[in-house]
Amino acid sequence: MAREFSRTDRVAQQVHKEVASILQNEYKHRVGDMPLITVSEVEVSRDLAHAKIYVTIYNSTEEEGKAQVKQLKELKGFIRSILAKRLRMRSVPDLHFFEDKSIIEGMRISNLVSQTIATDESKRDLDDEQESE
C-alpha cells in the first residue's frame, strides 16, 4: 500500500503548524502591536530546502500588509532558528514569506454579491408595489 502523503506534504504540514505557533506566541512578543496574522498555506520544495509561507493579514491597509510581510522577511532568521529547535530534521527549509490576499478578496467579493442581491430584492419589492396599485 502506497503512502497517503508524500514527505514534502508532511513537512509542509508540520512547518505550517509550527510557524503559526511561532507567529502567535514568540513573534508577537518580539514585535509588539501587530494585526492578526494567519498562515494560510505552506509549500515546501521537493528537496526540502525552501518553504513558501503564505500569510493572511487581517485588519490592515495594503501598505501595512506590505510592511508586515517585509518585517517577517527581516525576522525570518529568528523564526527559522525557533523552527529548527522544534523540527526533527537535519536541515530546516529556508523561509520565504508572501502575502495571501485570496481570503480578503473572497470576503470582498462575497460582500459585493450580498449588496447586489439586497439591491435587486429592494427593486423587485418596489416593482411589485407599483404593479399592485
Side-chain angles (χ1 to χ4, degrees), residues 36-55:
L36 179 64
I37 298 176
T38 60
V39 178
S40 55
E41 185 179 355
V42 174
E43 295 176 0
V44 177
S45 63
R46 290 189 63 176
D47 62 356
L48 305 178
H50 300 278
K52 291 181 180 178
I53 301 172
Y54 296 93
V55 294

Side-chain angles (χ1 to χ4, degrees), residues 68-119:
Q68 282 295 323
V69 171
K70 183 180 178 188
Q71 192 169 35
L72 283 170
K73 288 178 181 179
E74 290 171 358
L75 292 175
K76 75 178 184 178
F78 167 73
I79 296 169
R80 188 173 181 221
S81 68
I82 296 172
L83 187 63
K85 294 174 187 171
R86 295 184 181 186
L87 294 180
R88 295 178 49 195
M89 293 178 62
R90 182 177 299 176
S91 64
V92 177
D94 189 24
L95 306 178
H96 306 280
F97 290 95
F98 300 95
E99 186 175 4
D100 182 13
K101 298 180 182 180
S102 62
I103 294 174
I104 294 170
E105 192 64 20
M107 290 178 1
R108 186 185 73 80
I109 290 172
S110 177
N111 288 338
L112 288 173
V113 169
S114 297
Q115 289 173 356
T116 304
I117 290 172
T119 304

